[in-house]
Amino acid sequence: MAAAGLLTADYAVAAPISKGEAASIIAAVKAVEARWSQDVATRDPVKFASYYTDDATVMNPFSAVDHGRAEIVADMKATFADPNFALSFAPDDAGVSPDGALAWTQGHCVTSQTDPSSHAKVTSACSYLTLYRKDSSGAWKSFQDIATPTPAPKG
């Protein structure tokens, strides 16, 4: 019991946000993702990584896990060097924690790249889950991002 008291003393529970505040946060995070997806076309690794917190973790299929913005920039520099690379993504669902401190998106993505064996352009479908929190400037940034391959859409 004493340990439970210590835990709750260190972590105050914030009051729940209103449905309107939740909707506003979800709209803001969706707007961030729309800009981020559009900014892929700039092929600028620093700009791409600016959507992440300094301590973010990124997990992409068939790639090493990136820990921190510096690793994300280095990985994206190599990725953007591939002339066939393209990425687009959009959320299918989004939510926010009851206290408004965290937000998430789950969506679909399409990526193209050069196959290292055949040297042909390969396009693949994927799904993703991205977790957000505000940084010190108040901007929503991703701190956890994972993508996984999915079957191509039917039709």
Side-chain angles (χ1 to χ4, degrees):
M1 280 307 264
L6 288 174
L7 288 176
T8 56
D10 288 342
Y11 299 100
V13 177
I17 60 173
S18 70
K19 287 184 181 183
E21 290 169 313
S24 177
I25 291 169
I26 290 169
V29 169
K30 285 182 174 182
V32 167
E33 281 204 0
R35 283 190 309 274
W36 194 1
S37 185
Q38 291 172 347
D39 282 346
V40 172
T42 68
R43 302 179 79 82
D44 180 342
V46 173
K47 187 172 197 170
F48 184 87
S50 73
Y51 289 92
Y52 290 104
T53 61
D54 289 337
D55 63 344
T57 297
V58 178
M59 294 179 276
N60 286 316
F62 316 112
S63 297
V65 176
D66 292 331
H67 296 285
R69 192 178 293 160
E71 285 186 16
I72 297 166
V73 169
D75 189 34
M76 292 312 298
K77 185 176 182 180
T79 299
F80 286 144
D82 179 350
N84 287 322
F85 177 78
L87 171 65
S88 63
F89 53 95
D92 298 318
D93 198 7
V96 62
S97 63
D99 65 357
L102 303 174
W104 58 269
T105 57
Q106 177 276 314
H108 62 279
C109 42
V110 176
T111 184
S112 297
Q113 56 204 15
T114 303
D115 180 278
S117 300
S118 69
H119 305 291
K121 180 179 179 178
V122 177
T123 300
S124 304
C126 49
S127 295
Y128 69 90
L129 177 64
T130 303
L131 303 177
Y132 291 88
R133 67 178 182 231
K134 285 188 175 182
D135 70 1
S136 61
S137 74
W140 286 100
K141 304 274 183 161
S142 171
F143 69 97
Q144 297 287 318
D145 193 11
I146 185 169
T148 188
T150 58
K154 294 180 180 178

